[in-house]
Each structure stands twice: as structure tokens, then as C-alpha cells.
Amino acid sequence: MSKKKIFFWMTFPFVLIFFMFHTFPLLTGVYYSLTNSKGFGNFEFVGLKNYIRLFSDEQVINSYLFTFKFAILTTILVNVIGLLLAVLLNSRIKFKTFFRGVYFSPYILGGLIVGYIFNYLFTFIVPALGRSIGSSVLSTSLLGTPNLAWIGIVITVAWQSIAFNTLIYISGIQTIPEDIYEAAKIDGSSSFQSFWKITFPLLAPFFTINLVLSMRNYLMVFDQIMSLTGGGPAQSTTSISMLIYKNGLSGNQFGYQSANSVIYFIVIVFVSIFQLKILNKREVQL
């Protein structure tokens, strides 16, 4: 058997599996987005009506605004804290291996589990603590206030996600030769100057990884919102994924939300490509 045939039969099963579980569902979603399907029964072909309607749907627009606000703020918060923790955990401190394990442990938990834990904390523990110290702000559940519920989601997601980003930054810092830092010390460079002039620029490829993955994952946030607020109160924390799930499966809007999911997919791809373009330019300049 020739090498070409061997390579073909080695790759064909994986290509077939990828097509069955990725490409085919995607094409099916595009097809249903052009119909008025409710998810059951008969349906008709409506062309681009669903897509046109999306751009004037206030609920859809609000879900996109919330999702982008959440994704941008959480990406910044997670990467800033993750970088600071990486620097600390890479320094010469005792039990740093133990602390690395402790910081990484939240990441191995499921999003729903973490969400339910923080739901209990925000609903019962924090209000009880607020009443005991006489604080009116903390006496009410953060998740029950439409203007503040999103903060609880940011805290929950950031707490769970920081570990992964920290691990990536630690890996990046360990690739930087110690000779560079020693030369900087001889030249009289302070710790902050070494970080700003050496560590920060040389971590550019790792910034690219973390920023792109963070933004993509937070744009698709679902589990934590489901377990914390369910999209409430008053739909103030309804992300795009949550809207597609709720209205598409139980709101008789299967075709309409299929169109929303297609737009959603395009937006995520565009944002990821845009980030890569910008961040790769920074890497080349450095």
C-alpha cells in the first residue's frame, strides 16, 4: 500500500468525525436559520427575514451589549490578576509549588458547580455578613439587583478562570533566561523596571494566547450565568448563548435563534481574527 493511501485512511476517520459533529451541525443550523421553524412541526422557508429582524430586536441587541461588556471587563481583570500572580508565584518564595496547585484547583471544577457555590454565597452568606456588620449595601443579594448582578458573574468567572491564565504566564516567564535579569541588575535596573522592560515585552506571545482564548470563552459564557441568575433579574444578565438556548429551545424561536447563532459564530470568528492581527503585529514589533 502506498504512503498516500496510508495517510488517507489514517486521516479519513477523523475528517468524517469532524464533519459529522462540527460541519454538518453548522450547515444544518444555517439551513434552519432561513426558516420559521419552531423546533417541531412544519416550517416554511423565509429567506433572510430572520437575519433582518435580528438587527432591530431589542432583546438581541441588549444580550450582545451585555455579553461584550462582560467579556471585555472579565478579560482585562483575569489577565491583569493572572499576570501579577504569575510573577509572584515565579519569585523565590516558600511553598510556591503548593500555591500553584491551590490557585489552579478552581479551574478543574465545572462551571455549573462553581456557579451554584457562588450563588449560595451571594444569596445567603454575603447578605448575612452585611446584616451583621450593619452594611445596607451587602445586606441584599447582589444577584437580585438588575444593575449589579453582572458584577457577581464577573467575580465568579474570574475566580475560576484566573488559574489557567496564571499557568500560561508562569510558563512564559520561565522561558526568559535568567542572564537577562542578572545583566539588568548589574545595570542598576529595579524590579519594576525589569518587569516593564524585560518580562512584559517578552511575554507577548503568551499575551496573545491568553487574550484570544479569554475573549472567545467569555463571549460564549453560559454555565455560570445559568447557575447564578438564569439570565435575570429582568433579563439583565442574559448572554447571547443564554438567549439562544432559552428562546430557541423553549421559546418556539428555533429558526430565528438559529440565525442568531450564525451571526454569533461570525462575530466570535471576527473578534478572534482581529485580536490575532493586532497582537501578532505587537509581537513582530518587539
Side-chain angles (χ1 to χ4, degrees), residues 31 79 84 94 100 111 124 126 148 156 159 231 254 268 274-275:
Y31 170 74
N79 281 279
L84 293 176
K94 293 182 179 180
R100 288 176 185 176
F124 299 103
V126 175
L148 300 176
T156 303
W159 180 84
F254 189 80
I268 291 175
F274 177 77
Q275 284 183 292

Side-chain angles (χ1 to χ4, degrees), residues 29-59:
V30 173
Y31 170 74
Y32 277 111
S33 72
L34 302 174
T35 70
N36 61 356
S37 172
K38 296 180 180 180
F40 57 89
N42 298 325
F43 56 86
E44 298 176 354
F45 185 81
V46 296
L48 298 177
K49 287 185 179 179
N50 288 331
Y51 291 94
I52 296 172
R53 180 183 162 195
L54 282 172
F55 292 97
S56 59
D57 189 330
E58 186 175 348
Q59 188 178 22

Side-chain angles (χ1 to χ4, degrees), residues 101-206:
V102 170
Y103 278 111
F104 190 74
S105 58
Y107 187 75
I108 65 178
L109 298 174
L112 285 172
I113 296 173
V114 173
Y116 284 125
I117 293 172
F118 274 83
N119 190 326
Y120 182 82
L121 291 175
F122 288 132
T123 305
F124 299 103
I125 304 300
V126 175
L129 178 63
R131 288 190 292 269
S132 65
I133 63 176
S135 173
S136 58
V137 177
L138 297 177
S139 296
T140 57
S141 175
L142 190 70
L143 302 177
T145 307
N147 295 331
L148 300 176
W150 67 273
I151 297 177
I153 299 173
V154 169
I155 293 172
T156 303
V157 174
W159 180 84
Q160 184 178 16
S161 304
I162 285 172
F164 178 79
N165 295 66
T166 302
L167 190 66
I168 296 296
Y169 286 131
I170 289 175
S171 301
I173 292 173
Q174 291 178 344
T175 63
I176 302 174
E178 287 291 333
D179 297 344
I180 300 178
Y181 292 107
E182 292 176 2
K185 285 183 180 180
I186 294 174
D187 291 339
S189 177
S190 64
S191 298
F192 178 77
Q193 288 174 330
S194 296
F195 169 78
W196 189 249
K197 298 293 185 180
I198 299 174
T199 307
F200 190 75
L202 293 179
L203 284 179
F206 301 90

